Amino acid sequence: MSLANCTSWGNTDNTITKIGNRVFITFGVQITAEQSSGSLIIGRIAKVYYPKTAYVRANAADSDGGNHMLYIDKSNGIIMLYVSTERYYSASFSYIAD
């Protein structure tokens, strides 16, 4: 998993693991792009981790406990986060890959 427009948050280990066809992702990031709201590409995953369906949707919590939508696109492996004015986000989720 490569990050874009963000850095690891504190001592967070940003990980992606595949066991069989199940993918597990855990991350904590600080947004570094100058963007107060809207969609922001925060990373990419390798093709081996692409979701089985058109996209995966998950929640990412901000540093104030609010929830934000996160998407992984099957066509290109982009991880998109719908950010707000908060700058710290974390998530842990799994999905089925091909």
Side-chain angles (χ1 to χ4, degrees):
M1 179 169 54
S2 63
L3 299 177
N5 300 310
C6 61
T7 60
S8 291
W9 176 13
N11 294 329
T12 302
D13 288 332
N14 295 306
T15 61
I16 185 167
T17 306
K18 186 175 181 186
I19 300 172
N21 66 345
R22 172 76 60 182
V23 176
F24 300 89
I25 294 180
T26 300
F27 73 86
V29 295
Q30 176 181 4
I31 301 301
T32 56
E34 291 299 321
Q35 182 166 342
S36 62
S37 65
S39 61
L40 180 66
I41 294 172
I42 64 163
R44 292 183 187 275
I45 57 173
K47 189 165 184 128
V48 68
Y49 301 113
Y50 282 16
K52 183 173 184 161
T53 57
Y55 64 89
V56 168
R57 186 180 83 174
N59 285 325
D62 67 32
S63 51
D64 285 337
N67 285 316
H68 301 270
M69 296 309 304
L70 176 135
Y71 291 91
I72 300 177
D73 190 322
K74 178 182 178 152
S75 67
N76 54 20
I78 287 177
I79 304 171
M80 180 85 59
L81 177 64
Y82 288 84
V83 298
S84 70
T85 56
E86 298 300 323
R87 297 293 186 205
Y88 299 93
Y89 300 86
S90 62
S92 183
F93 58 96
S94 68
Y95 60 89
I96 302 295
D98 281 332

